[in-house]
């Protein structure tokens, strides 16, 4: 008899906790995801629930701490540097929902990095003309100069002309090489490197072979609340200052 009462009590407590979580998730979905400071309790709730989801679904590529993997071209989610958008919760949420270059009609897929070392016609874009290895080297010296690193001056000037001229790099990465977050073209002037360590060799590979990183879409796998919770968690690890889970 006493045992039955314990079971019933445990069930009732479990049901109450479940209902409470469901209610908070509904509040979370109704809230403006970027009005973060308005409701710290809700924010903490989301970050706490987002972390285990991140560990299960995202850590395999982005790493348990979200630091990414430059060998595989997986971005660091903690550095405050964003390929797409400005790192608002809504921006992050959209990436999680539809992915990048993934099999979903709403995925982010507005540009790929063409392979300039390939002969014509370039499968990625017939308008892209191949570059000779020496021209790619000149472009690299130009990029190093833009980053404030040591570069061969004559080669960098030739590279600058190619960049803003025939090679067409400016079209995606902008004339000042600071990139374009509307199409996922990275800033080439900062110390943040998506592929490799920023060395001449790594830059050469990106330009010669092209790049097209893929992040899966999660709208078929995670609930709407789960996606928002994961987005809050990613936001929290990229804004450590003044934003804690507890
Ligand atoms: C199969 C590996 C893989 C998995 C799993 C994965 N990602 Fe990604 N993610 C990537 C890659 C690669 C990119 C970079 C795409 C590119 O080059 O544009 C990326 C990009 C992103 C970006 C954009 C970062 C920026 O700088 O703009 C966000 C945000 C992101 N992922 C979040 C997530 C979250 C959250 C999950 C789990 C729900 C997840 N990813 C799961 C591989 C993965
Ligand atoms: C059609 C648009 C487009 C053009 C033109 C283009 N890029 Fe890119 N580039 C991209 C995109 C998009 C990425 C990111 C690819 C990814 O996320 O997988 C990229 C990535 C890169 C990277 C890797 C950056 C990193 O952080 O690892 C380098 C280097 C680069 N581009 C240099 C160039 C140079 C030099 C040119 C001209 C010869 C050029 N790009 C032309 C779109 C373009």
């Amino acid at each position: 008899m006493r045992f039955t009462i314990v079971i019933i009590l445990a069930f009732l407590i479990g049901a109450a906790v479940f209902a409470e979580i469901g209610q908070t998730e509904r509040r979370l979905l109704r809230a403006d995801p970027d009005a973060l400071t308005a409701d710290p309790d809700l924010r903490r709730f989301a970050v706490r629930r987002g972390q285990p989801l991140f560990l299960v679904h995202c850590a395999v590529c982005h790493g348990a701490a979200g630091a990414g993997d430059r060998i595989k071209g997986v971005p660091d989610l903690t550095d405050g540097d964003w390929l797409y958008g400005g790192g608002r919760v809504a921006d992050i949420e959209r990436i999680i929902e539809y992915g990048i270059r993934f099999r979903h009609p709403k995925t982010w897929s507005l540009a790929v990095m063409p392979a300039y070392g390939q002969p014509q016609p370039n499968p990625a874009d017939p308008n892209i003309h191949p570059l000779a290895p020496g021209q790619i080297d000149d472009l690299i010296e130009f990029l190093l100069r833009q980053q404030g690193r040591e570069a061969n001056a004559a080669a960098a000037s030739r590279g600058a002309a190619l960049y803003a001229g025939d090679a067409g790099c400016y079209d995606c990465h902008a004339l000042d090489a600071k990139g374009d977050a509307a199409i996922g073209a990275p800033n080439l002037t900062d110390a943040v490197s998506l592929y490799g360590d920023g060395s001449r060799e790594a830059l050469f590979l990106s330009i010669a072979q092209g790049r097209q990183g893929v992040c899966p879409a999660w709208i078929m796998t995670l609930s709407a609340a789960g996606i928002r919770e994961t987005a809050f968690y990613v936001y929290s690890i990229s804004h450590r200052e003044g934003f804690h889970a507890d």
Side-chain angles (χ1 to χ4, degrees):
M1 181 61 188
R2 200 179 292 160
F3 186 65
T4 321
I5 291 176
V6 169
I7 299 250
I8 291 174
L9 264 180
F11 178 79
L12 287 178
I13 293 171
V17 169
F18 218 69
E20 171 83 31
I21 289 176
Q23 214 173 29
T24 314
E25 286 199 322
R26 277 192 295 280
R27 258 174 64 214
L28 181 68
L29 284 173
R30 275 197 306 267
D32 171 357
D34 290 306
L36 288 168
T37 44
D39 194 337
D41 287 341
L42 199 55
R43 196 182 71 191
R44 276 193 286 273
F45 169 87
V47 170
R48 269 203 215 105
R49 290 181 59 86
Q51 178 168 32
L53 291 173
F54 185 88
L55 288 176
V56 170
H57 299 288
C58 324
V60 57
C61 293
H62 287 280
D69 180 345
R70 290 197 302 192
I71 295 170
K72 297 195 190 123
V74 183
D76 184 344
L77 299 177
T78 70
D79 62 5
D81 179 89
W82 301 95
L83 288 163
Y84 292 89
R88 296 179 314 134
V89 176
D91 296 333
I92 299 169
E93 196 171 47
R94 191 191 185 292
I95 295 175
I96 301 173
E97 280 176 322
Y98 304 116
I100 299 171
R101 300 186 189 92
F102 195 71
R103 312 178 298 274
H104 191 284
K106 286 190 175 173
T107 201
W108 278 115
S109 184
L110 294 165
V112 298
M113 172 63 201
Y116 284 89
Q118 278 183 11
Q120 277 180 300
N122 192 312
D125 184 345
N127 297 319
I128 297 292
H129 300 295
L131 297 169
Q135 291 178 304
I136 297 181
D137 286 338
D138 290 347
L139 281 160
I140 292 169
E141 295 307 312
F142 165 66
L143 294 181
L144 293 180
R145 192 179 78 188
Q146 294 303 101
Q147 292 170 15
R149 290 159 67 188
E150 210 177 298
N152 176 303
S157 307
R158 289 194 299 272
L162 272 171
Y163 183 93
D166 286 351
C169 318
Y170 69 92
D171 203 14
C172 295
H173 293 282
L175 264 179
D176 59 7
K178 294 221 163 90
D180 183 351
I183 62 166
N187 182 345
L188 303 176
T189 68
D190 59 13
V192 178
S193 168
L194 179 56
Y195 293 96
D197 55 4
S199 64
R200 287 182 167 82
E201 292 74 22
L203 292 168
F204 193 95
L205 280 182
S206 287
I207 301 170
Q209 299 183 355
R211 302 289 194 186
Q212 35 194 306
V214 174
C215 184
W218 297 93
I219 193 148
M220 301 83 84
T221 319
L222 293 169
S223 68
I227 287 175
R228 181 152 293 181
E229 286 156 2
T230 313
F232 267 91
Y233 176 70
V234 171
Y235 184 90
S236 78
I237 59 174
S238 62
H239 295 75
R240 292 209 179 271
E241 309 266 313
F243 193 101
H244 297 286
D246 39 44

